[in-house]
Amino acid sequence: PTAAPSDVRGRRVLIVDDEPAICNLLCDFLCSEGHHVDTAADGREALQRLRKGRYDLIVCDLKMPGMPGKEFYATLQQHHPRLARRLLFITGDTVSPETHAFLQSAQAPYLTKPFRRDEFLALIQDLFAQMTGQ
């Protein structure tokens, strides 16, 4: 069963994407649901943010300059294993065998760009409900 929206308001989310328009859009989606959102342009900036604050969930693009999503995920597994299990990937590339293999091995949820607002928020809500049930 899915948790009621009021059960999952006020969570802290970090969005990691090199496209400002995507960051702004996802931030608007999440803020409209009562969540607190920070953004980072790549994995390195995201790691800096993790040193300064706590997050309930990370939404991360796979393809970024600097530190891409796969490298960020590997670093999270080493230094923040709890957060590595609280990661939602977004990607425009699910056709490449390398990306597909990574998503399978990470066993993390993901959405393929472009996606709809309701699709994104439903997945976020389900992830928060799963975390509450842990």
Side-chain angles (χ1 to χ4, degrees):
T2 302
S6 60
D7 293 342
V8 292
R9 288 186 181 275
R11 299 295 184 108
R12 291 190 46 85
V13 181
L14 178 60
I15 298 170
V16 188
D17 198 307
D18 61 313
E19 297 179 56
I22 299 288
C23 282
N24 291 337
L25 187 65
L26 297 181
C27 186
D28 288 348
F29 290 172
L30 291 164
C31 289
S32 74
E33 295 295 308
H35 300 298
H36 308 284
V37 181
D38 289 323
T39 62
D42 68 15
R44 284 190 186 91
E45 187 179 340
L47 291 173
Q48 289 173 353
R49 291 212 175 262
L50 291 176
R51 284 196 268 292
K52 298 175 185 172
R54 293 180 50 96
Y55 295 94
D56 299 302
L57 181 71
I58 299 172
V59 178
C60 183
D61 190 15
L62 275 179
K63 305 274 183 175
M64 298 176 286
M67 180 186 277
K70 287 192 280 192
E71 190 179 330
F72 175 65
Y73 178 72
T75 305
L76 273 185
Q77 284 184 303
Q78 286 183 335
H79 301 286
H80 304 278
R82 179 186 142 283
L83 278 174
R85 294 186 306 274
R86 292 175 171 227
L87 191 66
L88 167 64
F89 285 111
I90 54 176
T91 183
D93 170 32
T94 52
V95 254
S96 95
E98 182 184 342
T99 298
H100 186 73
F102 169 74
L103 289 169
Q104 291 296 318
S105 70
Q107 296 183 342
Y110 68 92
L111 279 175
T112 304
K113 296 177 192 176
F115 47 81
R116 296 181 327 274
R117 179 184 190 276
D118 60 337
E119 181 182 18
F120 174 74
L121 290 176
L123 183 52
I124 293 289
Q125 186 175 324
D126 286 348
L127 291 171
F128 283 141
Q130 288 171 24
M131 289 174 203
T132 305
Q134 286 178 353

